[in-house]
Amino acid sequence: MNEPQRQAFAAAMAAARQAYRQRHWQRAFALLERAHVLGQTRMMPHVQSHWWMLKVGWQRRDAREVRGQLLRLPAAMLLSRLWVPLGNTGGANVSPVQPMPIADDLRELMETD
């Protein structure tokens, strides 16, 4: 992960944690999706984003999200360095193996050397 990408990941996670503390579950989850896209090729950031998605799912009493994140957490631990579907936002509302378009602002951060 390059430095701008690392900083953007940290900022998205910090904002997601703040939204979580304020019980703004939808905003927290949207920020976690951004963090997931930025961090999915590194194990610790990838796992961190899924862990927080699980926490949001639990708070929303969203059984589908909780189940989805419980499956995605071990996959993130094992596969982050080998293969990830780039651009995938990480929520249980999308296939865990489906690549997705990357938002322009995130793509620019990820392409910076």
Side-chain angles (χ1 to χ4, degrees):
M1 203 181 324
N2 63 49
E3 190 56 30
Q5 187 176 353
R6 188 181 338 276
Q7 290 176 5
F9 173 82
M13 287 303 301
R17 287 190 297 270
Q18 177 67 24
Y20 181 89
R21 284 191 296 274
Q22 295 172 341
R23 304 176 64 84
H24 297 153
W25 312 130
Q26 187 172 344
R27 173 147 174 75
F29 201 85
L31 289 159
L32 292 168
E33 289 176 317
R34 289 179 59 83
H36 181 270
V37 171
L38 290 164
Q40 72 185 139
T41 60
R42 298 286 188 241
M43 186 187 67
M44 290 307 294
H46 195 184
V47 169
Q48 185 179 12
S49 64
H50 282 297
W51 172 250
W52 280 89
M53 286 180 177
L54 172 64
K55 291 177 61 158
V56 171
W58 183 264
Q59 290 298 326
R60 293 193 308 196
R61 305 296 189 253
D62 183 340
R64 179 179 179 209
E65 194 63 49
V66 169
R67 277 191 311 274
Q69 295 309 321
L70 288 173
L71 294 172
R72 284 164 173 80
L73 274 165
M77 287 180 219
L78 297 171
L79 300 175
S80 294
R81 301 286 274 179
L82 301 173
W83 178 82
V84 293
L86 291 178
N88 187 289
T89 54
N93 62 327
V94 298
S95 167
V97 298
Q98 178 65 46
M100 299 171 74
I102 299 172
D104 290 341
D105 64 321
L106 299 183
R107 189 174 349 93
E108 288 174 17
L109 289 168
M110 295 166 76
E111 291 173 353
T112 303
D113 289 324

